[in-house]
Amino acid sequence: LRREFEIVASSFITNHNSSNTKLFFGDIEFRESQSSFQLFGVNSLPHVRLVGPTAKSLKYDSDVMDQGDFSRLAESMAEFVESRTKLTVGPIHHPPVLSKMQLGLITALLLLCLPLVAKRIFAGETLLHDPKIWLSGAVFVYFFSVSGAMHNIIRKMPMFLVDRNDPNKLVFFYQGSGMQLGAEGFAVGFLYTVVGLLLAVVTHVLVYVKDATAKRLAMLFTLLVSFWAVKKVILLDNWKTGYGIHGFWPSSWN
Amino acid sequence: MSNSSTSDLLKPFKLKTKQQELLIRVSILCLVYILAFITRLFSVLRYESMIHEFDPYFNYRTTLYLTQHGFYDFWNWFDYESWYPLGRIVGGTLYPGLMVTAALIYRLLHFLRFAVHIREVCVLTAPFFASNTTLVAYFFGKEIWDSGAGLVAAILIAVCPGYISRSVAGSYDNEGVAIFALLFTFFLFVKAVNKGSLAWGLASAFGYFYMVSAWGGYVFIINLIPLYVLVLLITGRYSMRLYVAYNCMYILGMLLAMQIRFVGFQHVQSGEHMAAMGVFFLMQVFYFLDWVKHMLSDTKLFQEFLRITVTCAVAAGGIALGVGMASGYISPWTGRFYSLLDPTYAKDHIPIIASVSEHQPTAWSSFMFDFHILLFLFPAGLYFCFKRLSDATIFIVMYGLTSVYFAGVMVRLILVATPAVCLISAIAVSATVKNLTVLLRSKNKVAQIGSTKGTSSAKASSKASLDQSQPFQKNGAMALLFGAFYLLSRYATHCTWVTSEAYSSPSIVLAARGAHGNRVIFDDYREAYFWLRQNTPPDAKVMSWWDYGYQITAMGNRTVIVDNNTWNNTHIATVGRAMSSYEDEAYEIIRSLDVDYVLVVFGGVTGYSSDDINKIGGGVFPVIKEPDYLVNGEYRVDKGAAPKMLNCLMYKLSYYRFGEMMTEYGKPPG
């Protein structure tokens, strides 16, 4: 959040060419200035506040920005400033992801190693040719997508939440369809992958094992684990979404 | 005696094994075809045969125009009845595949003297094409693995909720036809690569043309196929078949795709299509190198030549791309597709794209809802594919992985991932069931072999051990088969429930439970539109929020100011401003737009919620300030509401004579 604040401040300065000195941006560090915190009456972090020109008391006459407005970061802070002070911040200048220097360096490196890589590809010796690498890559992509990890990344969901009623308990699973927590996604993705891979292992790897009892035990283990995992996922899904999935029988049978 | 006579009678009916197999396969396919069609008919049975939602009404109206005026007028149609006074160039801003298909089916039925109304054809187009998709899935599965996998794939895709969501009867939208075109194009291309024949390559080019005409998602095809070719080249699977197939498909497909005006010259100008061109040139380089290798006999010289050529080629390609992008001839990736590569881009830079509900990232429960047990079978199928690597299995693995990844980024793209997931899971199911049934049926044969080959001791001992573990193996196989059967039946139940409850609502007719548990149907929308159609002059102009634009033009047959195409944000903001201002200001705006009627959807009695009108209006006209309408930060509509809210046009129209209405029995009115 602090970086976003800096972006807003620097954009304001560049847009107004340092001529407009009506608005100042500042930040306070807790360890250095605890008394200032008390002056403002700050209870929780992050905290953004605007003190107007007519404010007499720092604690009561200043406008606090809502926690909920932080979602759009720099843009929402600029809007907050504009709506309370009638001063425009102007367009926000985001720093580019990779600086020009880094970009130039990366392109130079790529061009240098290009002929070497091409030759090895033609010879057929690179790491890329081993099917197992591709297989593990494929399973990873599957795990990543299906567990909803993308959802967690985009929405920046936490790993777990603290239970609102009982602050000592942690909530790992979110009840309600459409949203999920971090740990939840990984747990479910793991269950899926385990079942699928066990099936594959049983069909191909188990044939090479010589001992009959070992084979039987492995089969039994696979059956039990798969059954438990599938049941768990389905129970979890029913609890989460609250749907009662049932078949349709003809009404004349009731 | 009687035995021989009955067997004589049955002799002409006794089939050889191959014929039996064919009979079983054909009957299964017929049943699956019918199943795919009837499972999508829930809303037709519950309500009636009508077009759902908002976008399909535009498609319906254009199809109507096409059947009435012919193709030339349709292709050059300038629609002056929407976006008054700007109008809309319809011919150049839509994908005509769906409309042309429906019009052709209509013409065919009329030719056979079935006098059906065009609306019935439109409503049932999507289920019809879903049934065709199951057939294509069968052939595709047969191409990748074997006919057993094809049958399972057809069954799975017939009921998969991910596909049903956009292809129920009444959902007359591009996706219904596009998924069929997608799978068909992929099937034809894989067949062309397997056979190396020019005819199949030509067919795949035409399949691609159909896909381009049907849906904007063709960008997925034009990027997946070059990626697939690149992977084949890197893993050393270059062959003449690949060369023939890809060249034919790319060149012909590109030329055909440029016939669609909406696409235009994007295949040579847009950054999203450049991958295909790059791979095309790379293929030529590979062919050239292959030919040189064939001509030269000295390997050392060839290696040198190889290195120089590849470096030059890649450098030349890089320079060309750089020049193209710098000079602006090649446009960069548009925001819609760029947000797939960098999913956090849309949230920070383009809030409009990030706010559409279909573009949200997917939680795992959505995957579970749309795929059920197919998710478990997917990694197993991946493993089977890797065990039997061929050009075709590499393709399906790539399609599966890319589409599942994109489905994780955007909920809407679960639809594109559905065929891949069904196919890969079908491979897993088919291979497992095949192994199990082979085990079940192998008991007698093994016993025979064990007795005749008693000479070789090693073989005998191994066969003996097999005999010993036979009973457990058979039981185990039976148990597993029952388990598989149970799983599949649970899948079918889940799919039917999901289709019935979640995906079959027409959203233009609403249903609810009344006080005594009876079903109450709200047909207010259609009644309102018909009132407009019958009681207003034919050249009346109607102003409403853009959600209802398509429906008003299609059903009410009147000119509207803004509709769902949302191509002009300022025009929409004008309407928003009019709705949120005081009555006198609003009257000025409305007279300047020449409006005769204003349509407002009001949910005060039923609890119906909607859009943020003043946010969008305030985005263009700073006169509209959202805090003016709020009291303590929330919206209120009773006496304690902000004065601006109480006096704005929308409020006045909604609550006109509300005081005379009874809300609940026994409570005071209004």
Side-chain angles (χ1 to χ4, degrees), chain B residues 317-330:
Chain B
I319 291 175
L321 187 70
V323 164
M325 295 208 70
S327 68
Y329 186 72
I330 298 182

Side-chain angles (χ1 to χ4, degrees), chain B residues 228-249:
Chain B
Y228 165 63
V229 171
L230 195 65
V231 165
L232 281 187
L233 291 179
I234 290 182
T235 51
R237 282 172 176 267
Y238 169 78
S239 64
M240 202 53 189
R241 301 174 282 121
L242 182 66
Y243 181 75
V244 166
Y246 182 66
N247 280 347
C248 180
M249 194 212 140

Side-chain angles (χ1 to χ4, degrees), chain B residues 429-442:
Chain B
V429 167
S430 164
T432 314
V433 166
K434 198 170 215 175
N435 287 342
L436 291 175
T437 45
V438 157
L439 271 178
L440 272 184
R441 301 175 73 175
S442 69

Side-chain angles (χ1 to χ4, degrees), chain B residues 471-624:
Chain B
F472 285 119
Q473 246 182 355
K474 247 197 76 169
N475 287 346
M478 286 281 276
L480 278 178
L481 263 184
F482 268 120
F485 178 67
Y486 173 72
L487 263 186
L488 289 173
S489 64
R490 292 298 308 171
Y491 170 71
T493 318
H494 171 93
C495 294
T496 321
W497 184 91
V498 163
T499 312
S500 156
E501 298 300 313
Y503 288 141
S504 297
S505 109
S507 50
I508 190 169
V509 171
L510 306 165
R513 294 265 159 219
H516 305 286
N518 53 330
R519 207 162 67 132
V520 177
I521 305 252
F522 299 103
D523 208 3
D524 295 348
Y525 281 103
R526 296 198 296 166
E527 286 172 14
Y529 299 137
F530 252 66
W531 186 94
L532 270 182
R533 191 188 191 121
Q534 285 173 339
N535 295 316
T536 60
D539 61 347
K541 289 146 196 82
V542 180
M543 177 175 95
S544 75
W545 196 235
W546 59 261
D547 285 326
Y548 316 107
Y550 281 156
Q551 287 178 342
I552 295 177
T553 39
M555 277 194 280
N557 206 19
R558 295 285 175 267
T559 313
V560 285
I561 306 293
V562 289
D563 70 15
N564 307 57
N565 197 25
T566 65
W567 64 270
N568 191 332
N569 200 33
T570 313
H571 214 53
I572 295 183
T574 314
V575 171
R577 180 183 176 190
M579 292 285 190
S580 323
S581 328
Y582 292 122
E583 278 182 293
D584 34 8
E585 292 167 13
Y587 185 71
E588 296 298 316
I589 299 175
I590 288 178
R591 284 318 295 168
S592 80
L593 285 174
D594 236 0
V595 172
D596 299 312
Y597 292 90
V598 176
L599 182 121
V600 165
V601 172
F602 174 60
V605 181
T606 58
Y608 188 74
S609 67
S610 179
D611 225 354
D612 260 337
I613 293 186
N614 53 10
K615 261 210 182 77
I616 298 184
V620 180
F621 299 106
V623 165
I624 309 290

Side-chain angles (χ1 to χ4, degrees), chain B residues 336-357:
Chain B
R336 217 167 37 129
F337 293 111
Y338 188 69
S339 65
L340 286 178
L341 291 183
D342 177 15
T344 52
Y345 173 76
K347 200 166 77 97
D348 295 332
H349 297 269
I350 315 178
I352 295 183
I353 294 184
S355 70
V356 179
S357 72

Side-chain angles (χ1 to χ4, degrees), chain A residues 142 155 180 184 200 203 223 245, chain B residues 360 363-364 375 378 383 480:
Chain A
Y142 160 78
R155 297 261 180 94
Q180 64 180 65
E184 179 182 349
T203 321
L223 277 173
I245 299 183
Chain B
Q360 297 310 312
W364 71 267
L375 286 177
F378 190 77
Y383 185 78
L480 278 178

Side-chain angles (χ1 to χ4, degrees), chain B residues 629-632 634-643 645-646 651:
Chain B
Y629 297 87
L630 306 178
V631 173
N632 290 333
E634 26 172 69
Y635 286 107
R636 288 176 66 171
V637 289
D638 55 356
K639 237 179 1 191
M645 173 68 118
L646 280 176
Y651 184 83

Side-chain angles (χ1 to χ4, degrees), chain A residues 64-76:
Chain A
V64 181
M65 188 169 157
D66 273 333
Q67 287 261 7
D69 284 339
F70 287 156
S71 57
R72 278 186 301 135
L73 307 170
E75 278 80 8
S76 56

